[in-house]
Structures are given as structure tokens and as C-alpha cells.
Amino acid sequence: MFDTVNHDNMFDDILKRFGLNVAEYQTSPFGSGLINHTYKVTGNNEAYILQQINTAVFTHPENIADNLAAVKRYLGKNNPDYLFVAPLQTTDGELIVKSSDGAFYRLFPFIEGSHTVNFLQDKNEAFEAAVQFGRFTLLLNHFDIKQLKYTLSDFHNLQLRFDQFKTASQNADAAKLAQAGAEIKEVYNHFDILQTYNQAVNNNEIPLRAVHHDTKINNVLFDDNHKALCLVDLDTVMPGYYLSDVGDMMRTYLSPANEEEKDLNKIHIREDFFRAIYKGYMAEMGDILTETEKQLFIFSGKLMIYMQGLRFLTDFLNNDVYYGAQYPGHNLTRAKNQFKLLTEYVNAEPVFKNMIGSVNREILAAANQK
């Protein structure tokens, strides 16, 4: 059970800005997010989510507010029934409050009857999540993405991540390079992933879309019947490639072991989860994806797994300055984990292709029956 936070020390002024009588509310830590600090505010027969933006990561929080306001206006006009969990306005009409100590906060409505899932065990939940992420991008298909600002520049730029890895390799000490020898070799064994990415991006073979960029399962709210209600943690909504959203689902949904698992034997591919992701996402996006985008569906998983392996390995070589480390070699273990996942994913590619063919035939047969 979380302890209640003392308003007098922390949140009185912030809640007052949103028109709340602080004497009627209690605030407790909420959720398991790693980037922003999140609290649940309850009282007066209602509830809210109060979140402090991590300005070490999001250096321009006003860009987040502007993006969400623009998306809210568009969806409110064109899809008013869509549940878009946008921040609430203060009594002055602001979406972000700056506290006396320089921290930035925003307040969201709490969605009653909802819960998050931290460990994905049910392929139907994978399907539901894929539908939600696909629907989000579908509904914004005609939205002018030039209105969106980049809240994290080059977030999923694989060429940048590879260049950062090369720099880290050049500067790392000999002992670290020796420890990471096998993983460094894996980077170059899968160099074709970078080549495919650069060809698609540099030749403008795939379009920029409004995508979520962080599709881990706990960014989806579910009801008690395991049906997905909506998406949350929208700070990374910005222009990007649909590969980011699908690939991150592949990276985080397919294996029962997450990126912290030390026993690499526990890392394997749940092929039925791939089918669920494909079927759910394509149910929403199948009619608007270009042929090139469709051809890169399986590639998206390789892209995001490879990128995360690169990032963990780079941080190990850089002495854990980005992710930090809970024990010696933590980021090297994470990198080993991701490269094992990548190997398992590549080995399953023929199965994935057969599954895509099977689902496509099902869709065609259903369409012909109408």
C-alpha cells in the first residue's frame, strides 16, 4: 500500500491551479513508469492522475503540451467518440504547471474501471493493444503532422544509434571491449538491418506518420474484461515511421522474458503473439499502409530489437551514463538479452511469413463473403 503524500509539502499550489480544493483530496504514488513521476489524486468522489514531467529526458515540456493539444483538437472535431486521455486545463487555461522549484506537472482524468498490464501473458491482450496503436495512427492519417514537434529528437534514428556505438567503441577501454567482444560481433553480423533502414528512410520509401513511439503493454489501459480502452503516456507522440510502433510491440510482446532477464534460455518467440499483433494492427491500418510498408512489417521487429541492443551495448561501453546500472555489467547483460532475442526473431521469420499469408487469406475470404 502506498503512503499518502502530504499536500502541504508538495502539491497544494499545483492542485489549486487546477481548481481543486486540496483539503478534499489525497495524493499517492501510482504506477510503475520509469521516466515521469506519477501520482493518483483522489477525493470528492473523483480521481485524477498527476504527473511530473522528467525534464532531464523531455527538455522542452511545452512541446508535449502543444502536441497533445493539437491532437486533441483534431480528434475532438473528427472522432469525438475516441477516448483520448489528454491533460486537463488549469483555471488559467494552461496544460502544464511550473512549480516553485522549477518542476513541470500536468493533470489527467483518471479512467475508472481501467488497469494496466505489466507482464503480457494473453495473446488476446496483444491483439487488443495492436488494434489500439493501429487505430491511433489510422485516426490521425489526415492530420497535418507538421503541427507536431519532436519531443525527443532522433529517438528511433538507427543510423544515429549506430554512430554512437562506433564512437563508444573507439573510446572504450580494452577491458570493456574484451568483455563485449561477442556482442560487438553481433552488431556487425546484423549490419544488413542498418542498410535496410537507411535505404527505406533516405530514399523516402516509407511515409512519416503520427505514431506513439512507445508501445509497451503498460501504455494501454484495459477494462476488467481484458478489452483495451485507450492509450496513455503520449509524450512521445510525434512524426515517425509506423515501424517504430509495430517493432516495439514485437520487441516487448513476443518473448515471455523481458529485457532484464539474465537467463538467456528463457528468451524465445511466442509465434501466436506475432499473429495477434499482425492481425490486430492490420485490422486498422491494412488499407492505408503502402506496399513497401507492408513488406517491412517483419523487418520492424528486427529494427527495434537491434536498436535496443545497440543502445544497451553503447551504454555499457560508455560506463553506464544513460541507463545506469544496478550491478556490474548490467547493460552488457541487457545487450546480450536483446541480441539473443534478435537471433530468435530472425530464426522465426519463415513462420512469420506463413502467418501473414494465412491471416491475409482469412481477411480476403471474409471480404468476399460480404
Side-chain angles (χ1 to χ4, degrees):
M1 179 67 68
F2 289 120
D3 293 330
T4 298
V5 176
N6 186 332
H7 288 302
D8 293 335
N9 294 331
M10 296 185 68
F11 300 131
D12 272 10
D13 291 339
I14 296 165
L15 296 180
K16 287 177 182 177
R17 293 279 301 277
F18 289 98
L20 300 182
N21 181 350
V22 296
E24 298 177 349
Y25 291 88
Q26 295 181 327
T27 305
S28 300
F30 184 80
S32 58
L34 299 178
I35 302 299
N36 299 318
H37 295 298
T38 305
Y39 308 88
K40 185 176 181 181
V41 180
T42 56
N44 200 24
N45 297 315
E46 58 187 7
Y48 302 93
I49 293 295
L50 179 68
Q51 195 169 64
Q52 179 185 348
I53 300 174
N54 186 336
T55 51
V57 175
F58 298 103
T59 55
H60 296 282
E62 66 278 4
N63 288 347
I64 297 173
D66 290 345
N67 284 356
L68 297 188
V71 171
K72 180 182 179 181
R73 285 193 299 270
Y74 179 85
L75 292 175
K77 178 180 178 181
N78 295 281
N79 300 95
D81 294 332
Y82 178 75
L83 181 54
F84 182 67
V85 187
L88 302 172
Q89 291 185 339
T90 67
T91 55
D92 297 329
E94 301 294 329
L95 296 174
I96 293 180
V97 172
K98 187 176 182 180
S99 64
S100 58
D101 61 357
F104 290 86
Y105 292 87
R106 67 273 182 89
L107 192 72
F108 296 89
F110 179 79
I111 307 302
E112 294 294 343
S114 69
H115 68 273
T116 57
V117 174
N118 288 322
F119 301 101
L120 192 57
Q121 302 294 336
D122 185 345
K123 65 183 180 183
N124 293 320
E125 290 177 337
F127 171 83
E128 287 283 323
V131 167
Q132 284 294 321
F133 286 112
R135 183 172 300 158
F136 179 73
T137 298
L138 173 66
L139 295 180
L140 295 176
N141 188 40
H142 297 294
F143 173 72
D144 180 10
I145 61 172
K146 292 179 181 178
Q147 295 184 47
L148 295 178
K149 301 171 183 177
Y150 288 89
T151 57
L152 291 174
S153 298
D154 292 312
F155 186 40
H156 287 165
N157 183 338
L158 183 58
Q159 182 62 60
L160 173 67
R161 300 305 181 186
F162 184 80
D163 292 343
Q164 290 172 336
F165 157 74
K166 283 176 53 178
T167 299
S169 299
Q170 293 165 359
N171 296 330
D173 62 49
K176 280 190 173 290
L177 290 172
Q179 282 182 272
E183 287 63 53
I184 292 171
K185 185 177 180 180
E186 281 294 278
V187 170
Y188 292 100
N189 285 344
H190 295 284
F191 189 72
D192 62 296
I193 297 174
L194 176 62
Q195 293 174 315
T196 300
Y197 167 83
N198 281 336
Q199 177 180 327
V201 172
N202 296 339
N203 295 339
N204 296 314
E205 294 180 359
I206 52 178
L208 286 170
R209 300 184 182 277
V211 296
H212 188 283
H213 279 104
D214 188 10
T215 57
K216 60 181 180 289
I217 196 62
N218 59 9
N219 282 337
V220 181
L221 294 186
F222 290 88
D223 65 18
D224 292 338
N225 295 317
H226 306 285
K227 296 293 184 181
L229 295 170
C230 62
L231 305 179
V232 293
D233 280 0
L234 300 158
D235 297 346
T236 52
V237 170
M238 53 187 167
Y241 302 106
Y242 102 100
L243 305 175
S244 290
D245 279 8
V246 171
D248 203 35
M249 283 189 279
M250 302 296 190
R251 188 183 80 82
T252 57
Y253 296 5
L254 294 189
S255 176
N258 67 20
E259 63 195 25
E260 297 295 337
E261 180 57 61
K262 299 177 184 179
D263 184 353
L264 302 188
N265 292 321
K266 293 182 180 179
I267 299 172
H268 63 268
I269 299 296
R270 298 182 289 191
E271 294 166 354
D272 54 342
F273 279 62
F274 175 90
R275 181 186 178 92
I277 294 169
Y278 181 78
K279 192 170 183 178
Y281 196 84
M282 295 302 285
E284 300 293 325
M285 290 287 290
D287 290 339
I288 70 167
L289 291 178
T290 67
E291 286 304 311
T292 300
E293 286 178 307
K294 292 177 182 178
Q295 292 169 10
L296 292 172
F297 193 94
I298 294 174
F299 170 78
S300 70
K302 292 191 284 189
L303 167 68
M304 294 305 295
I305 298 168
Y306 181 67
M307 188 183 306
Q308 195 57 53
L310 264 177
R311 295 184 69 186
F312 284 141
L313 180 57
T314 299
D315 202 32
F316 170 75
L317 296 174
N318 283 336
N319 298 314
D320 310 309
V321 294
Y322 185 82
Y323 290 109
Q326 296 177 2
Y327 56 85
H330 188 178
N331 282 306
L332 181 58
T333 298
R334 287 165 161 163
K336 291 177 185 288
N337 174 302
Q338 291 297 282
F339 285 120
K340 172 65 185 307
L341 178 61
L342 180 58
T343 297
E344 296 293 318
Y345 187 91
V346 170
N347 289 341
E349 192 166 349
V351 177
F352 296 158
K353 290 179 179 178
N354 288 335
M355 284 184 167
I356 287 176
S358 174
V359 172
N360 288 345
R361 288 190 293 272
E362 290 177 10
I363 294 172
L364 181 61
N368 289 336
Q369 290 177 356
K370 291 182 179 179

